[in-house]
Amino acid sequence: MRTPIQSRRTRVRRWEDRDRPNFHRLNADEEIMRFFPMRRSRAESDALMDVLNRRLDAEGCSFLALEIDDGAPAVGIMGLARLDPVMPFAPGIEIGWRLLPEYWGQGLANEAAAACVDRVFADPGALTEIVSFCVAGNDRSEAVMRRLGFTRCADFDHPKVDPGTHPDLVRHRCYALARTDWHARA
């Protein structure tokens, strides 16, 4: 994923300084962050963007910038990342996305995610499976997972969500996609 991933309408690439205002919005806006337990300040978002680029450099994968107009700031987050070791299905790789609301419902997450899956499953020596998960009730994300061919494999309580402060965000649904299933669909 160190080189950009291009689809018909999207491009997934490393974060750049021009993305900082939109990245902050993607991490702070109440509507976008409805299914996340925290909101980030501008300084916290800037620091996270730098961490994501360092992960890309060190690990070859990360949550990256999703752009739709060449040279314009990112309109979302898209990418693959190593699962946090505390997750019940770690180790592994997860795919995830988040878009600005004005870009919801246009098929952009599905298109960009499919391009990312194509890239990672194209290498025969790489991954055999990718997972994705979301809060139970995040119907938009679950719909993208199903359109991509992911199968619901587990429900779990997210170990990093405090049930005392965010009881509605604890329960998650996990979906998985095997390389063989992806290639069979193609």
Side-chain angles (χ1 to χ4, degrees), residues 1 5-12 26 32 63-68 75-80 95-118 132 138-150 177 182:
M1 294 187 66
I5 299 170
Q6 189 79 41
S7 72
R8 187 174 61 80
R9 299 179 297 162
T10 68
R11 185 170 179 246
V12 179
L26 286 158
I32 298 167
F63 293 114
L64 304 171
L66 171 63
E67 79 176 17
I68 58 171
V75 301
I77 297 169
M78 174 64 62
L80 295 124
I95 188 168
W97 47 83
R98 196 177 330 147
L99 276 72
L100 298 173
E102 57 267 33
Y103 298 97
W104 292 355
Q106 299 176 32
L108 297 169
N110 194 74
E111 181 178 326
C116 288
V117 172
D118 277 344
S132 190
N138 185 345
D139 297 332
R140 287 180 183 272
S141 281
E142 281 194 82
V144 172
M145 293 175 211
R146 287 190 302 272
R147 281 193 297 272
L148 290 167
F150 281 72
L177 177 64
W182 181 255

Side-chain angles (χ1 to χ4, degrees), residues 46-80:
D46 285 349
L48 178 59
M49 179 188 286
D50 296 337
V51 165
L52 295 175
N53 277 339
R54 283 195 301 274
R55 276 192 199 146
L56 177 63
D57 294 338
E59 300 174 9
C61 63
S62 185
F63 293 114
L64 304 171
L66 171 63
E67 79 176 17
I68 58 171
D69 294 314
D70 191 28
V75 301
I77 297 169
M78 174 64 62
L80 295 124

